[in-house]
Amino acid sequence: MSLAATATATCLYALFILHAALFGGGGPVMPDAAAIDWAAALAWPRHVSRADLLVNVVGYAPFGFMLAQWIVRAARRRAGAVPSGLGYATRVAILATAGATLLSAGTELLQTGIPGRVSSLLDVLANGAGAAAGALVRPVFHHAFDADGRLSQATYAAVDRAASPRLALAALATWLLDRLWPLAFTLDLGVVRAGLRALKAWWTGHAEFQAAVAAQYAGLWLPALLLCAMLLARRAPRALLLALFAGAVLAAKPLAGRSVRIEELCAAALAYGAAMALLRIPPRARAAAGAGVALATLAATQLASHPLAGTVGGAFQWMPFALMLRREDLGIAPLLTLGAVIGPLAWFAWRLSPPTRGRVVASAAALALVLAALEVSQVGRPGRHGDITVVIAGVALWWAWAACARADHRAALSVRRVSPGSAASSSRTAPGASS
């Protein structure tokens, strides 16, 4: 990222830390200046919670990483070039750790003036350790960007440029939003424990494993993981990157206010193994398998977990968005789930055949018929409601994904028309220009 983007991201994360530290306990209570006590902020806690300690370390690791990156970008902007040895990386890590520790000490001091919040020196040390870990990891990702802060050639080499990257990234972004919605990220330990409560209930024997729920989760995970694996070039460490991606999503769910269930953990592991196994078959058969799983998941999400289940009425709703707007989230969650399934389906479909205008129109009409049949089949069933909104939203999302696929297809055709010599020279500048 550029200097401005790095600075913006660092400041936004610092604001997130302040919000989580001051208001994460349940309400916007401002600190009382008269109640701030240095001695309380620097006191050692009587009881050490390992979960609280882990949250403090992990929460400050991204901040240390971004702060170190900001320091390097600012030094390069001022001096034009900076050293890249181990000593320089250590000095940068020390500066970033010092800055993060000052921010932690300030928040702990302000917490002494908020009723119900507990400050301790251990929190400051844990936050500093997390920031130091993030700053020390930064040199590992140094080669992912060039001197201008853009993605380097090595990073672009890890992506299959012929795999419709615009559509793939848009589909993965929608899938991530669906997995992490409503994006209520927090470092509050109570929220994290609530997200892990379902997993703990299964571990202690108070909840049973539900195979049907696991199958539905597997249908949501497999197309996304297979898409991600096919997007990576052969020279990239697919197995490692795919495992890191799945683990990061599962770890982020409790921090985003979402619950993690044993069914989803097993489904993600099963989907990971299936995706790695599908990489061994021919590309067209792989894309056909992904499209089939996405179609089955589309039917399952509309029949087994309808977004309007529980509302009053069983007749078909012909007024668009009438029932969606009655929900607390205005229907965003069910639309994200719909897009999370249609995105990979579109990517696999256009991998099988180029997205010409006629094919886009025909496939959109076929998708509209499938969604209409699924919605009509729910009329009269208990807790189910057919809604024209699902059909309209599904076709609109399909058109959006088709536009991305057509743009990728035109870009691939323009590259093929370039002579080999010009293509070699343009490939050195295209990644930087496109980022």
Side-chain angles (χ1 to χ4, degrees), residues 171 173-183 220 258 307 324 329 331-343 393 397 401:
T174 306
W175 183 84
L176 279 175
L177 285 175
D178 176 59
R179 292 294 85 206
L180 302 178
W181 188 260
L183 303 178
L220 289 171
R258 294 292 299 273
M324 291 283 187
D329 59 354
I332 296 178
L335 292 180
L336 283 177
T337 303
L338 184 65
V341 179
I342 292 181
L397 289 171
W401 303 146

Side-chain angles (χ1 to χ4, degrees), residues 335-371:
L335 292 180
L336 283 177
T337 303
L338 184 65
V341 179
I342 292 181
L345 175 61
W347 191 82
F348 290 123
W350 304 134
R351 292 286 288 177
L352 292 172
S353 59
T356 60
R357 185 181 297 273
R359 289 170 179 169
V360 171
V361 174
S363 59
L367 180 65
L369 291 176
V370 170
L371 291 176

Side-chain angles (χ1 to χ4, degrees), residues 131-393:
L136 291 174
V137 168
R138 184 205 62 83
V140 177
F141 299 91
H142 175 72
H143 297 290
F145 302 92
D146 57 18
D148 297 327
R150 298 172 178 175
L151 292 177
S152 63
Q153 292 285 345
T155 304
Y156 271 87
V159 178
D160 187 358
R161 303 301 298 275
S164 298
R166 292 184 181 88
L167 174 58
L169 294 178
L172 286 176
T174 306
W175 183 84
L176 279 175
L177 285 175
D178 176 59
R179 292 294 85 206
L180 302 178
W181 188 260
L183 303 178
F185 287 98
T186 180
L187 296 179
D188 186 73
L189 188 59
V191 177
V192 177
R193 286 177 174 173
L196 300 176
R197 189 173 299 159
L199 191 61
K200 183 180 179 181
W202 171 83
W203 181 264
T204 56
H206 293 84
E208 297 182 355
F209 183 87
Q210 301 181 19
V213 176
Q216 187 173 351
Y217 275 125
L220 289 171
W221 274 84
L222 179 55
L225 292 184
L226 182 59
L227 186 157
C228 188
M230 294 176 64
L231 179 63
L232 297 173
R234 293 182 178 179
R235 64 179 63 91
R238 287 176 171 176
L240 177 60
L241 292 178
L242 201 62
L244 291 176
F245 173 74
V249 174
L250 291 173
K253 289 195 68 175
L255 298 177
R258 294 292 299 273
S259 176
V260 179
R261 302 179 59 173
I262 183 60
E263 291 87 355
E264 186 170 11
L265 290 180
C266 295
L270 180 62
Y272 173 80
M276 297 305 300
L278 289 174
L279 290 177
R280 300 180 179 273
I281 66 177
R284 291 187 61 85
R286 190 188 312 159
V293 173
L295 275 174
T297 305
L298 178 63
T301 54
Q302 295 303 310
L303 294 176
S305 180
H306 196 276
L308 299 178
T311 55
V312 179
F316 192 88
Q317 177 59 253
W318 291 98
M319 181 65 65
F321 299 99
L323 293 179
M324 291 283 187
L325 294 177
R326 297 179 186 176
R327 295 172 54 95
E328 294 182 359
D329 59 354
L330 302 179
I332 296 178
L335 292 180
L336 283 177
T337 303
L338 184 65
V341 179
I342 292 181
L345 175 61
W347 191 82
F348 290 123
W350 304 134
R351 292 286 288 177
L352 292 172
S353 59
T356 60
R357 185 181 297 273
R359 289 170 179 169
V360 171
V361 174
S363 59
L367 180 65
L369 291 176
V370 170
L371 291 176
L374 291 173
E375 294 303 309
V376 170
S377 65
Q378 300 181 46
V379 176
R381 298 176 59 186
R384 305 295 182 183
H385 301 266
D387 190 2
I388 193 65
T389 305
V390 176
V391 182
I392 297 175

Side-chain angles (χ1 to χ4, degrees), residues 72-83:
V72 172
R73 293 294 175 201
R76 181 177 286 117
R77 173 68 65 86
R78 183 174 60 253
V82 294

